[in-house]
Amino acid sequence: MSVPVLVITLFVTMVASRPISLSWTDCSTPDYIGKISNISYSENPTLGLPFYANCTGMLSQLVTGGYTAAQLFIGDRFVRGFTGSNCVPISVDFRPYGRAEISQLTCPQPAGPFEIDFKATLVNGYTPSDPLSATVKITSGEQNGNRIFCVNINIKA
């Protein structure tokens, strides 16, 4: 069941043709109504080329609307953030570090399994550190205060 789709085109500026390493952690707590259970990535992600990721998870209850927030960290330093509706597509500009395009949940989103698909392209340009270590933290919540999910996507190049 592929209901919500989260498509991210993330332009993190670095040196071209370097391989990138991706990992993830679930940052939700027991009071969240959703949980990401797995994220799989396309093979051999490389700077300048598109890569894909697929997240699978489970919702314990219906989601009718709310917010999605994305935050970019370079190392441990918060760089930029963005918050928008979790039911309509949003554009996140992390200039000069990157940009994200996010297609959101299909609201209302029923309880049960869900998938979130990412498409990302990391491109060459400004390198804030060598080697680069960045984290994109994505959180989602409902307008009634329920927190939906939290995931950190860790990028190393």
Side-chain angles (χ1 to χ4, degrees):
M1 176 182 204
S2 178
V3 181
V5 176
L6 175 63
V7 178
I8 292 186
T9 303
L10 179 63
F11 301 101
V12 177
T13 52
M14 295 172 267
V15 178
S17 300
R18 278 173 36 189
I20 56 174
S21 170
L22 300 167
S23 63
W24 70 280
T25 55
D26 179 11
C27 47
S28 60
T29 59
D31 62 327
Y32 281 66
I33 65 169
K35 179 135 179 98
I36 303 292
S37 55
N38 189 47
I39 300 180
S40 58
Y41 304 100
S42 56
E43 290 186 35
N44 304 317
T46 303
L47 295 176
L49 299 174
F51 72 89
Y52 301 88
N54 175 265
C55 302
T56 55
M58 184 69 70
L59 292 172
S60 63
Q61 58 187 280
L62 174 75
V63 173
T64 59
Y67 70 89
T68 293
Q71 298 175 310
L72 174 65
F73 296 84
I74 303 293
D76 292 332
R77 184 173 56 96
F78 172 76
V79 175
R80 202 160 278 147
F82 180 87
T83 302
S85 170
N86 65 4
C87 294
V88 297
I90 59 174
S91 259
V92 181
D93 189 352
F94 291 128
R95 194 175 306 153
Y97 304 102
R99 176 176 161 71
E101 300 296 328
I102 304 172
S103 297
Q104 298 294 346
L105 298 172
T106 302
C107 294
Q109 173 68 51
F114 69 93
E115 288 187 25
I116 300 172
D117 293 317
F118 296 83
K119 177 183 177 186
T121 303
L122 309 176
V123 298
N124 61 331
Y126 178 77
T127 304
S129 63
D130 191 27
L132 177 87
S133 178
T135 300
V136 177
K137 181 176 186 173
I138 301 171
T139 57
S140 187
E142 285 193 287
Q143 68 271 13
N144 65 7
N146 286 339
R147 295 185 289 179
I148 300 171
F149 68 83
C150 178
V151 65
N152 291 317
I153 299 173
N154 308 300
I155 304 162
K156 296 196 184 298

